[in-house]
Amino acid sequence: MYLIQKAILASAGSLLMSLLAILPAVAADRSMGFGVDFGGTPGRWNAITDVPGVSVGHVTLISGQGVLRRGEGPVRTGVTAVLPRGQDRMAEPVFAGLYSMNGNGELTGSYWVAESGLLSGPIMLTGTTGVGAVRSAVADWGA
């Protein structure tokens, strides 16, 4: 299962980074939809995609049904990519910081962000078991 999941996530990561589809957000699922007031005026979609120059893409993979069989499936996984300056300005880093609320999860690249205060690549979000495959896919994509 691990090898299949790794291959699927690597393919999804590469596909995602190549396509970077801009996805609108649903306002009802946002904090403001629950009455949280942040002040200011939200953009058209009330989402990060409203920020000029930011690119966001997402892939969800659902394959197979039934009982989990190692090496066969089923598979339920996904990955989200955020390019703070879009694909055309990847060489220009952005200021960055990090915070780990409960110490859980993997923050690949966190030492560089903590040391330099800069981020010079995409922000990738995935499940815990997909972190390595996604990191590898980003490294292959950026090579």
Side-chain angles (χ1 to χ4, degrees):
M1 178 64 180
Y2 173 73
L3 293 176
I4 288 176
Q5 184 181 24
K6 183 176 178 180
I8 289 171
L9 281 172
S11 297
S14 295
L15 174 66
L16 178 63
M17 295 304 291
S18 297
L19 299 177
L20 283 171
I22 304 298
L23 302 177
V26 178
D29 293 339
R30 303 295 176 180
S31 299
M32 290 178 70
F34 293 104
V36 178
D37 183 13
F38 293 106
T41 304
R44 179 178 177 197
W45 301 108
N46 188 26
I48 193 169
T49 54
D50 291 333
V51 180
V54 174
S55 296
V56 179
H58 178 79
V59 170
T60 299
L61 296 175
I62 299 175
S63 175
Q65 295 184 41
V67 178
L68 176 63
R69 287 188 293 272
R70 188 177 186 140
E72 296 179 26
V75 174
R76 306 286 185 269
T77 191
V79 61
T80 299
V82 179
L83 296 178
R85 294 197 189 265
Q87 195 165 357
D88 296 335
R89 296 178 59 201
M90 286 283 298
E92 300 174 41
V94 295
F95 293 110
L98 58 100
Y99 174 76
S100 178
M101 183 159 67
N102 62 4
N104 247 348
E106 172 65 37
L107 299 172
T108 303
S110 61
Y111 287 101
W112 174 249
V113 170
E115 183 177 323
S116 69
L118 299 173
L119 177 70
S120 56
I123 299 165
M124 304 296 292
L125 307 171
T126 190
T128 301
T129 59
V131 171
V134 170
R135 178 206 41 85
S136 295
V138 170
D140 291 345
W141 174 77

